[in-house]
Amino acid sequence: MQSLRLSKSHPRSFCIAVQIQAIPIVAPGPRDLMNAHTKVLRHTAITPNPNADLTSEEPDSFWSMSRYLNAPKLGLLALISLYGDSVVPTAAIVPLLSFVVSFLLPQAIAGGRQSREEGYFSASSIGDIREATIVHASGIPGRTLWDLFLKKLWEVNSFDQLHVFFDSLGLLLPKSPEEAQKDADVRHLSLPGPIRFSRNSLFGVFLRRAQLEFTRMQLHDITTLWKSFVFYRNPTLSTWRRRNPGSGQASYDINDRQEDFYLVLYRDTMEADHSRGYNSVEDIEKLLDFQRDRMQGFNLQDRFEVFITTTDSCNLATGNRITEDMQRQLTEMIQAGTNVPALFHYVNFLDAWKCGDYPSSFDNLHRFYDYTMHNRDRTFYQYALLNLAILQKDFGCLPEAVTAMRETISAARENKDLGCLNFSLSWLHHLSKAYPTEIHGTQKGGVLGNDREALVFMKAKAKESGMWGLLSTTFLSEAGLALVNGESVSMALENITKASYLSFVKNVPSTVAGELRLQSSVFSRLGISCIACSLEELLLECHFEHSSAEELLQALSKRACEMALKGRHGDALVRMENIDPGILRTLKHRQCWRTCVDLLHLQHALHRDDLNAAEHFLSQLQANPPSDRELSFPIMVLEVNVQLRQQNYSNAILLLEKHAGELQTENADILFRVFLMTLKAQIYNQAGLAQKAFSIAIRAACLAYEARLLPSLWQAVIVLCQVLNSLQEFDGGLKLLRAIIPQALECEDCELAGTAFSALADTHIGIAGKMLDGSIKQKEHMTRGLGYLEMAFDEYARGNLLRGQCEMLAKKATILHLNGDLVLANDCAARYLAILKTADDEVLM
């Protein structure tokens, strides 16, 4: 038994400025299982139901579910027979046939009629047939199609007539060559008869299979079908008797002429709930397939595509757990019979997986593949290993996940399964990028080689096998790799454009979310936040139908962080709290959501200078640290900020050095490394080591410029100007700040803008300090300095940055006091005290 480890990872969003520029890892997930895997799940075995009561003496307790036939299908057969009798007028032919076809074809092919979640089961009820037929007149004057349909139903008035009904279906089919030859030998006269359907047509196949399945049914199963049919048509009894006054108790069974027999034979039929007889094994498998698709993330419209996605009709997000009520109903329907489809174990595996129950998910996965593959040798062995690898990864067992995925690759090569092989290689590549330290041995093993070789190989194989989803994802991975390594932004945009073009031409909607998120990260790195925000909103508002729950959660959390950067912490929290509850039914998503909310709370506490609350939220985040670097990095940065607020510079530097070493070992995103260098320069400057801070700030600015990380470049330049101010080199700082402030404002980051204006004010005040007292130039610089202090205060106030507001007011009051403006200086002091009092009141509340 594998060791039990709970998942600690997920959505990639920060509550600091660097988070909105992070590169999302566009990797195949559980929703991207291939078409071949879909075939495996469709050929499911039937297993004994351990919960069925086989010893009960009640006649209904031993329930053997029909393989194919049920009461609603008898209703459809009656409609087809009605059409074959040539009593349907021309105007009603198309509506009637469209109604029947909508239940015989899959939902994606039949069109949008079956858009309800109930699907096949409730749509074929008597009520729906009544709505479809009562509005159309028939070929018989005074009678509607509904009246003739009731006549068809109630003509089957005995168990024997049920057999006669199925025998008569053969008249709707053309004779086989043997039968035609036999009729020719005896010179059989061909008389006008019902409409005959081609044996290979949709209706012909349905009629032939219905006859075949009825012939195969045992007596007990036919009896059950008869009772469920009686229960199915029972709601129309009053209408039938009103139209046919001569009908009596014998309407149920022509052989039942006495009321005593009626009570004995059909009392249990009227009292018991035989609606469970509406479901055949095929219907149950369709329902399980539907639930599997919704939980795993398949799209019914793209069922035969390589990379598949879906929209959950309950909560507009893919890959979620089903509701408890739906799960209870599904379990009752399945446990009503003595046989259980093996796919039920797979649905239980997905449910246990998503709710974080490792032992149950592991057990159900083994049980499913034990039942489905015990007679197939190793034909589908690779898919069991593939599911096992993904399961192990989500529960934090990374070494076991890598081992299982390597076995998957070996089995796929042995069975020449290119789809599974390409998917496994892509998944292993993205796993090595997400967890470089834990998967360090994988690259040395030579499975994939380096990143470039892996991407080139996957692109070639995807083109070979026509896996356009994998090819599009590979283009996105190549774009992300270029950004992570600080390479050409134009090359990254070119690959994103290729992926977008491929998705449009080959109709692969599942990659649109990854494209939009990657584009948003590119524009965030370029400092064009308005376009980045628009792309995130575009994903959330227009492309949610083709996005997984995890992608929606990542986009939502990133959008909330962008709002927090603009000072809208309340709106950001409200948006996170208003997330669809269906997404949070999965443990992994709830953990990610909780981490993002705590990060927002921690950032807000730091902005309000509430260190007690900040330490509380920080301890919560550190209690269950995420293994994902894109979530653990902001926690580390905010931990360093807490140390800075407490003026523990030594501890802050130690933490920074520790995590910088980890990033260097992992060859992490250059954005993270530049951010840490800038933060390190800021700490050294505050600690009075300006010369050391100068060299680090210069290196950070150079790296940011080379990688075109413009917000990081502005931040590094601002820190460099603060260092120059500490070294009393004000002229150089003034030129730099004047050059970058217009573009820094485009980032829409309140803290960044406030820091820039504050540094510019310090520069002007420093220049004024070097001039003669009372000179015009000195007054001009002092006035500009006061103006920039007010602008910095406005930015800090917009971002709810308490310490920044107080610092600006303190500087302004000091300058005004030195200038002799005591009234204005007292006003600034009063505002300072009012802000502190308001902050204290908020803490007490």
Side-chain angles (χ1 to χ4, degrees):
M1 178 62 68
Q2 304 289 343
S3 59
L4 175 61
R5 304 183 200 172
L6 293 180
S7 173
K8 299 179 181 178
S9 58
H10 305 311
R12 299 151 173 110
S13 63
F14 316 149
C15 358
I16 53 179
V18 69
Q19 72 82 196
I20 62 173
Q21 307 161 33
I23 297 301
I25 296 180
V26 185
R31 69 187 184 89
D32 294 324
L33 294 180
M34 294 72 60
N35 174 37
H37 190 199
T38 305
K39 294 178 182 177
V40 179
L41 299 180
R42 295 200 176 286
H43 295 85
T44 54
I46 303 298
T47 63
N49 184 358
N51 298 317
D53 184 7
L54 305 183
T55 60
S56 174
E57 297 180 358
E58 297 180 9
D60 248 357
S61 61
F62 186 79
W63 186 265
S64 180
M65 193 178 295
S66 169
R67 278 179 52 89
Y68 181 74
L69 289 176
N70 54 18
K73 283 191 174 71
L74 294 182
L76 295 179
L77 290 171
L79 285 177
I80 295 175
S81 176
L82 188 67
Y83 171 73
D85 292 342
S86 302
V87 294
V88 180
T90 304
I93 289 178
V94 173
L96 179 66
L97 295 184
S98 300
F99 178 82
V100 177
V101 166
S102 65
F103 302 125
L104 298 184
L105 287 180
Q107 182 177 357
I109 304 176
R113 191 199 176 282
Q114 275 184 276
S115 59
R116 291 176 295 178
E117 191 174 6
E118 294 86 350
Y120 180 89
F121 304 96
S122 65
S124 56
S125 65
I126 282 288
D128 285 342
I129 295 179
R130 181 181 182 277
E131 292 176 4
T133 56
I134 199 171
V135 295
H136 299 291
S138 68
I140 300 177
R143 298 287 180 175
T144 65
L145 291 181
W146 169 246
D147 297 326
L148 299 185
F149 173 73
L150 290 183
K151 185 174 183 294
K152 277 284 182 182
L153 287 185
W154 290 97
E155 280 179 350
V156 185
N157 54 9
S158 68
F159 191 67
D160 178 67
Q161 283 296 320
L162 181 64
H163 288 74
V164 173
F165 173 75
F166 276 95
D167 291 339
S168 66
L169 296 179
L171 299 177
L172 300 174
L173 297 171
K175 294 182 179 181
S176 63
E178 294 79 8
E179 294 174 340
Q181 182 63 36
K182 182 178 179 181
D183 291 343
D185 293 341
V186 298
R187 297 181 181 180
H188 179 75
L189 181 61
S190 178
L191 298 176
I195 297 176
R196 295 180 183 270
F197 302 99
S198 170
R199 302 180 71 87
N200 294 326
S201 67
L202 177 64
F203 287 174
V205 171
F206 179 55
L207 293 171
R208 287 193 294 128
R209 183 173 183 185
Q211 279 189 309
L212 178 63
E213 294 291 343
F214 185 78
T215 304
R216 289 178 174 178
M217 293 176 69
Q218 298 181 1
L219 177 62
H220 175 76
D221 296 331
I222 299 177
T223 304
T224 302
L225 177 64
W226 166 248
K227 288 186 177 182
S228 66
F229 175 69
V230 170
F231 184 84
Y232 172 77
R233 70 180 180 182
N234 186 54
T236 65
L237 178 61
S238 58
T239 305
W240 169 249
R241 286 180 175 174
R242 187 167 59 250
R243 288 285 188 175
N244 300 271
S247 61
Q249 297 287 5
S251 298
Y252 288 104
D253 194 335
I254 195 64
N255 298 313
D256 179 16
R257 297 295 181 180
Q258 299 182 18
E259 185 174 354
D260 293 340
F261 289 139
Y262 161 76
L263 294 176
V264 171
L265 293 175
Y266 295 108
R267 181 178 60 184
D268 65 314
T269 303
M270 297 299 103
E271 293 177 354
D273 182 11
H274 282 265
S275 61
R276 64 183 182 179
Y278 291 179
N279 305 323
S280 63
V281 171
E282 186 199 47
D283 295 331
I284 294 297
E285 288 181 348
K286 285 182 179 179
L287 181 57
L288 287 172
D289 196 31
F290 174 85
Q291 300 298 351
R292 189 278 315 275
D293 291 345
R294 291 313 190 255
M295 295 177 69
Q296 199 175 41
F298 286 92
N299 189 344
L300 296 177
Q301 297 179 353
D302 300 321
R303 185 177 298 279
F304 301 104
E305 293 294 331
V306 177
F307 275 69
I308 311 173
T309 184
T310 186
T311 300
D312 194 324
S313 55
C314 300
N315 45 45
L316 303 178
T318 63
N320 296 329
R321 295 177 63 201
I322 58 178
T323 61
E324 293 183 1
D325 182 60
M326 188 183 300
Q327 188 175 7
R328 177 184 55 79
Q329 294 183 27
L330 176 63
T331 304
E332 289 178 355
M333 293 172 63
I334 292 174
Q335 292 182 350
T338 57
N339 296 325
V340 177
L343 187 57
F344 184 56
H345 302 304
Y346 192 79
V347 172
N348 286 338
F349 152 69
L350 292 175
D351 185 71
W353 173 15
K354 290 184 179 294
C355 73
D357 187 354
Y358 177 83
S360 297
S361 59
F362 197 83
D363 179 64
N364 280 293
L365 179 64
H366 277 273
R367 185 175 300 173
F368 169 72
Y369 280 100
D370 284 345
Y371 281 125
T372 54
M373 297 192 301
H374 64 283
N375 289 328
R376 301 180 186 178
D377 300 323
R378 293 171 57 90
T379 307
F380 302 113
Y381 179 59
Q382 62 268 27
Y383 293 104
L385 293 170
L386 179 61
N387 279 274
L388 180 61
I390 298 174
L391 174 67
Q392 299 283 19
K393 177 263 176 185
D394 270 6
F395 283 97
C397 307
L398 297 178
E400 293 85 350
V402 173
T403 302
M405 190 56 72
R406 284 180 168 178
E407 292 185 23
T408 303
I409 294 172
S410 300
R413 284 173 175 168
E414 179 183 342
N415 295 321
K416 298 181 180 180
D417 190 340
L418 290 180
C420 182
L421 176 62
N422 294 340
F423 177 86
S424 303
L425 292 173
S426 178
W427 190 89
L428 189 59
H429 167 71
H430 288 95
L431 185 67
S432 65
K433 296 299 294 180
Y435 305 96
T437 303
E438 295 84 348
I439 317 299
H440 184 62
T442 304
Q443 295 182 355
K444 288 187 177 181
V447 177
L448 294 174
N450 59 38
D451 294 334
R452 295 294 180 192
E453 292 174 352
L455 291 174
V456 169
F457 175 78
M458 285 189 291
K459 281 198 295 185
K461 288 300 180 182
K463 279 184 181 179
E464 254 179 54
S465 54
M467 299 179 66
W468 307 118
L470 177 60
L471 183 58
S472 179
T473 303
T474 306
F475 280 128
L476 295 179
S477 301
E478 197 167 3
L481 182 62
L483 294 176
V484 165
N485 293 336
E487 299 172 2
S488 173
V489 176
S490 59
M491 183 185 299
L493 289 174
E494 179 184 351
N495 284 312
I496 294 174
T497 305
K498 288 180 180 178
S500 179
Y501 174 78
L502 193 63
S503 300
F504 177 77
V505 172
K506 300 299 182 179
N507 190 23
V508 188
S510 60
T511 60
V512 173
E515 295 161 12
L516 292 175
R517 290 174 54 236
L518 196 56
Q519 288 184 57
S520 176
S521 296
V522 171
F523 286 109
S524 295
R525 290 179 172 228
L526 295 176
I528 313 175
S529 62
C530 57
I531 299 181
C533 295
S534 300
L535 290 170
E536 293 292 341
E537 289 292 348
L538 182 65
L539 169 59
L540 293 172
E541 298 296 333
C542 302
H543 294 280
F544 59 89
E545 293 186 354
H546 299 293
S547 305
S548 68
E550 185 174 1
E551 288 171 335
L552 292 177
L553 181 56
Q554 291 170 0
L556 181 62
S557 54
K558 180 178 177 180
R559 187 71 186 94
C561 293
E562 290 167 345
M563 297 168 68
L565 289 178
K566 299 176 183 179
R568 299 165 55 191
H569 287 89
D571 294 340
L573 289 172
V574 168
R575 188 147 192 181
M576 290 298 293
E577 294 292 342
N578 290 339
I579 191 173
D580 189 351
I583 296 179
L584 302 183
R585 283 200 295 267
T586 301
L587 176 65
K588 177 176 71 173
H589 298 160
R590 176 171 286 276
Q591 288 176 338
C592 300
W593 175 81
R594 185 73 260 170
T595 300
C596 295
V597 171
D598 286 345
L599 282 170
L600 288 172
H601 281 298
L602 175 55
Q603 185 190 28
H604 184 56
L606 286 175
H607 284 183
R608 302 306 298 165
D609 208 25
D610 186 0
L611 294 182
N612 291 330
E615 290 178 350
H616 169 71
F617 287 115
L618 183 60
S619 63
Q620 284 188 339
L621 290 168
Q622 290 176 336
N624 186 25
S627 57
D628 192 340
R629 175 56 65 187
E630 294 183 4
L631 274 180
S632 61
F633 181 77
I635 298 175
M636 180 272 296
V637 171
L638 292 176
E639 182 183 6
V640 173
N641 285 333
V642 171
Q643 297 294 329
L644 285 178
R645 295 296 176 91
Q646 297 172 347
Q647 296 184 349
N648 295 329
Y649 299 119
S650 299
N651 293 340
I653 285 294
L654 289 175
L655 284 172
L656 207 58
E657 293 288 352
K658 173 186 174 184
H659 293 290
E662 293 176 358
L663 291 178
Q664 191 68 29
T665 303
E666 298 175 1
N667 194 22
D669 191 344
I670 190 173
L671 176 69
F672 297 162
R673 289 179 278 164
V674 170
F675 191 87
L676 288 188
M677 291 175 66
T678 305
L679 185 58
K680 188 176 182 180
Q682 184 180 353
I683 295 173
Y684 278 129
N685 186 49
Q686 292 181 11
L689 302 174
Q691 292 181 348
K692 202 167 187 179
F694 179 80
S695 61
I696 297 176
I698 286 290
R699 281 191 291 151
C702 291
L703 284 176
Y705 177 75
E706 291 175 0
R708 296 300 186 269
L709 305 176
L710 299 189
S712 300
L713 176 60
W714 312 145
Q715 183 66 45
V717 171
I718 291 172
V719 173
L720 179 61
C721 292
Q722 290 174 340
V723 173
L724 291 175
N725 289 339
S726 300
L727 297 174
Q728 297 187 357
E729 297 290 340
F730 303 112
D731 293 333
L734 182 61
K735 292 178 181 179
L736 288 173
L737 288 170
R738 283 180 175 176
I740 70 164
I741 281 182
Q743 294 180 345
L745 294 177
E746 293 182 2
C747 298
E748 299 184 10
D749 186 346
C750 297
E751 187 173 7
L752 180 65
T755 307
F757 284 127
S758 176
L760 187 57
D762 292 342
T763 302
H764 279 288
I765 299 300
I767 293 175
K770 288 186 175 183
M771 293 183 176
L772 295 176
D773 294 338
S775 63
I776 297 176
K777 287 289 186 180
Q778 185 186 52
K779 290 181 179 180
E780 182 181 345
H781 282 290
M782 293 290 285
T783 302
R784 289 182 180 179
L786 288 173
Y788 287 128
L789 284 176
E790 188 63 32
M791 295 173 69
F793 174 83
D794 292 339
E795 292 293 337
Y796 284 134
R798 193 159 60 94
N800 293 317
L801 294 158
L802 178 65
R803 177 165 290 194
Q805 296 177 62
C806 293
E807 186 179 345
M808 296 306 102
L809 288 175
K811 288 181 180 180
K812 190 174 181 181
T814 303
I815 295 172
L816 291 173
H817 182 74
L818 293 175
N819 288 342
D821 296 334
L822 299 181
V823 176
L824 293 179
N826 290 333
D827 289 343
C828 289
R831 290 169 64 188
Y832 181 94
L833 295 175
I835 290 174
L836 287 180
K837 185 178 183 303
T838 302
D840 292 339
D841 293 340
E842 289 180 359
V843 171
L844 292 176
M845 292 174 61

